């Protein structure tokens, strides 16, 4: 499973990166300076949202819209601590890090 991690100015915690890597055959990370198109040549896109990074939030909102339109079902949203939720997503569609670590591990293992 080819995975892209999309993040802003806050690095992905090492423990989270390990969970993602265990469920992937390859992992590429990109830092979002602003809204970006949803990658099409990957199996999963993990958005890591921390703080109130507007660049990542804008990209995530754009991805939610694209996913709903295309039915892609390849997006995973991980919010750090008190990061705000993404408009258009239900709480069950998101993971809170580290609170949902076990749930994320299970999701990662079943989708690899």
């Amino acid at each position: 499973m080819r995975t892209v991690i999309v993040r802003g100015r806050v690095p992905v915690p090492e423990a989270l990166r390990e969970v993602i890597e265990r469920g992937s055959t390859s992992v590429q990370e990109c830092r979002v300076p602003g809204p970006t198109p949803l990658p099409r040549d990957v199996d999963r896109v993990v958005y890591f949202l921390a703080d109130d990074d507007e660049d990542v939030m804008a990209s995530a909102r754009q991805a939610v819209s694209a996913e709903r339109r295309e039915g892609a079902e390849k997006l995973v949203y991980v919010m750090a601590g008190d990061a705000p939720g993404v408009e258009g997503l239900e709480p069950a569609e998101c993971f809170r890090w580290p609170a949902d670590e076990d749930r994320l591990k299970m999701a990662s293992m079943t989708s690899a």
Side-chain angles (χ1 to χ4, degrees):
M1 176 162 300
R2 295 170 313 210
T3 302
V4 171
I5 300 172
V6 179
R7 72 168 184 93
R9 56 186 177 261
V10 176
V12 175
E14 191 57 37
L16 174 57
R17 176 178 292 290
E18 289 174 12
V19 169
I20 295 168
E21 288 177 351
R22 262 182 280 169
S24 305
T25 55
S26 68
V27 177
Q28 175 187 353
E29 185 174 312
C30 67
R31 187 168 176 190
V32 179
T36 57
L38 179 64
R40 296 185 185 277
D41 63 340
V42 297
D43 301 303
R44 177 173 46 204
V45 180
V46 177
Y47 276 86
F48 178 66
L49 297 99
D51 302 327
D52 60 350
D53 190 325
E54 191 50 45
D55 289 332
V56 179
M57 292 299 292
S59 179
R61 282 191 301 269
Q62 183 181 45
V64 168
S65 294
E67 182 179 50
R68 298 284 194 261
R69 222 177 18 257
E70 300 168 9
E73 296 187 25
K74 63 181 174 180
L75 302 176
V76 177
Y77 298 91
V78 180
M79 281 74 157
D82 295 337
V86 177
E87 186 178 317
L89 284 180
E90 298 297 321
E93 295 179 283
C94 306
F95 296 92
R96 289 281 173 183
W97 185 263
D100 291 332
E101 181 174 0
D102 289 340
R103 193 173 134 232
L104 187 59
K105 285 178 181 176
M106 289 303 292
S108 181
M109 288 189 296
T110 59
S111 48

